[in-house]
Amino acid sequence: MLKAAAELMQKHIILDTDPGIDDSLAILLAAASPEIVVDGVVSVHGNVSTEQTTRNALAVLELAKAGHVPVYKGCDLPLVKESLLSPETHGDSGLGYAELPEPLNQPGAGHGSDYIIERIMSEPGEITLVCIGPLTNVALAIRQEPRIVENVKEAFIMGGAIQYPGNTTALAEFNTFVDPHAAHIVFHSGMPITLTPLDVTYQCVFTKDDLNRLLKINSPITKFIADSTRFYMEFHDEYQSIEGCVINDPMTLALTFMPEICDYQDLVVDVDLSTGVGLGNTFADFYNYEKKPKNMRVAMGVRPRLFMEMFLERMEKLAQGAFAQGSESNG
Ligand code: RIB
Ligand code: CA
């Protein structure tokens, strides 16, 4: 009876992602979180090409013994801008120094944005979108089927920097800079959005001490985390003098089942589409000078160790095989 009740409480999510090192950690956290069910993963361009993000999503799901979760390939390019990838941050493979076997599974037939539409429209009010890459797929889905805006349960988005410096330009965060036009469409769609900006994710640094705690467990999971985050830590040290690495994406996913990690403000948020230095910059009209409706809930305060302790505990359990579920292949 308890299991049935727990299953009823589970959130069904679609993960739209550009794995990517921190995206991969979000996939591992999803596999270790019984509060959520990943109905499907949709890949997008961003940290690396969509060919690579699709392969990485399949490979990391299989590493997590979640190969039954389908992956659908999404957009290869931003809606308007030229492609921008970040091999300096995530490595040419997108997984840093980690090496995973070629995945057993293939991506599902059809475009990722069509999958987003099909799932949301087939279960109105039941599907939660978790968007941890550029928003190209979600924007395309909104333009193809505007009714997903009122039929999605809610959308959790990793992106933007409100009162915090950019991590890609002086002002702009990577996901909103890579595809600002997609971000603009999604931000102004009316979709119920919770935004997780750099303002809070940069308080959540995965350190060498955190890694050493996980490495007490000898497992392909902990080896993957070590090999991928070692590259990510080198990037953060070289470019931002941070000791450790900022794990933006698992923190965003965590808010779907542990909202108490953050404090929130309902705000009027916009993204700059001008072609100057501000392109992709996100900002909030805190005093609402233009009397616009507040278009999202923004995480502006965070309890970093509350998140990190939960993340580490769940990675330990995953590494110990506590969540092995489903078959290796979704074939
Ligand atoms: O700015 C951080 C975001 O950009 C994260 O989602 C990271 O994976 C990259 O996509
Ligand atoms: Ca990402």
Side-chain angles (χ1 to χ4, degrees):
M1 184 58 184
L2 284 178
K3 186 172 184 300
E7 282 171 356
L8 279 175
M9 299 291 286
Q10 285 178 316
K11 272 189 182 178
H12 285 256
I13 74 164
I14 294 174
L15 188 64
D16 189 83
T17 176
D18 61 332
I21 294 168
D22 58 334
D23 301 72
S24 300
L25 300 182
I27 292 172
L28 295 181
L29 180 60
S33 300
E35 301 88 343
I36 58 178
V37 177
V38 182
D39 285 1
V41 172
V42 176
S43 60
V44 67
H45 64 90
N47 291 321
V48 287
S49 71
T50 312
E51 286 303 321
Q52 199 65 46
T53 61
T54 306
R55 179 224 176 266
N56 291 343
L58 289 164
V60 175
L61 283 166
E62 289 173 26
L63 171 70
K65 301 279 187 280
H68 59 286
V69 176
V71 176
Y72 296 87
K73 183 174 178 297
C75 293
D76 294 295
L77 292 171
L79 295 183
V80 175
K81 282 182 69 185
E82 296 287 312
S83 170
L84 173 68
L85 307 179
S86 61
E88 77 291 340
T89 311
H90 295 265
D92 292 336
S93 72
L95 301 178
Y97 297 121
E99 292 181 0
L100 291 179
E102 272 308 301
L104 301 172
N105 297 317
Q106 294 295 319
H111 193 281
S113 64
D114 292 331
Y115 172 74
I116 290 170
I117 294 166
E118 185 277 326
R119 289 295 301 127
I120 291 172
M121 297 309 288
S122 63
E123 294 195 55
E126 294 299 322
I127 305 297
T128 295
L129 270 178
V130 179
C131 313
I132 54 177
L135 289 164
T136 315
N137 294 327
V138 181
L140 187 62
I142 291 170
R143 284 291 185 261
Q144 285 175 273
E145 177 47 87
R147 291 179 299 165
I148 65 169
V149 165
E150 63 259 18
N151 284 287
V152 71
K153 181 182 178 70
E154 53 187 329
F156 289 82
I157 297 174
M158 193 281 127
I162 303 299
Q163 293 180 306
Y164 205 81
N167 65 353
T168 304
T169 70
L171 294 171
E173 177 276 329
F174 180 80
N175 289 336
T176 59
F177 182 72
V178 165
D179 199 339
H181 304 90
H184 195 274
I185 288 170
V186 177
F187 283 16
H188 295 288
S189 66
M191 199 176 260
I193 293 171
T194 297
L195 185 74
T196 309
L198 300 183
D199 305 63
V200 290
T201 65
Y202 263 67
Q203 316 308 315
C204 293
V205 178
F206 180 74
T207 66
K208 286 198 172 79
D209 286 347
D210 294 325
L211 177 57
N212 290 334
R213 169 174 158 180
L214 296 182
L215 286 174
K216 288 177 184 158
I217 301 168
N218 180 21
S219 151
I221 297 280
T222 53
K223 178 174 178 10
F224 171 80
I225 294 172
D227 293 344
S228 58
T229 58
R230 190 167 74 252
F231 188 100
Y232 209 29
M233 288 183 186
E234 288 170 1
F235 163 81
H236 281 82
D237 180 27
E238 180 183 348
Y239 283 78
Q240 298 173 338
S241 303
I242 291 174
E243 286 188 25
C245 54
V246 177
I247 55 175
N248 313 277
D249 294 339
M251 206 211 113
T252 300
L253 178 90
L255 300 189
T256 64
F257 59 84
M258 201 174 189
E260 63 273 23
I261 290 169
C262 286
D263 297 317
Y264 307 87
Q265 293 183 41
D266 292 335
L267 295 170
V268 179
V269 176
D270 206 343
V271 53
D272 186 344
L273 296 183
S274 63
T275 52
V277 293
L279 180 61
N281 178 29
T282 50
F283 52 94
D285 180 359
F286 283 94
Y287 298 110
N288 202 359
Y289 291 112
E290 299 183 38
K291 301 290 181 268
K292 287 182 180 175
K294 294 175 181 176
N295 59 329
M296 61 180 77
R297 182 176 73 144
V298 183
M300 291 301 285
V302 61
R303 294 163 193 83
R305 290 316 297 180
L306 178 62
F307 161 70
M308 200 58 77
E309 282 303 319
M310 177 275 293
F311 176 72
L312 294 173
E313 283 166 18
R314 293 191 184 206
M315 290 303 100
E316 287 169 335
K317 285 182 181 168
L318 186 68
Q320 290 160 346
F323 298 98
Q325 57 183 329
S327 64
E328 287 279 320
S329 162
N330 61 3

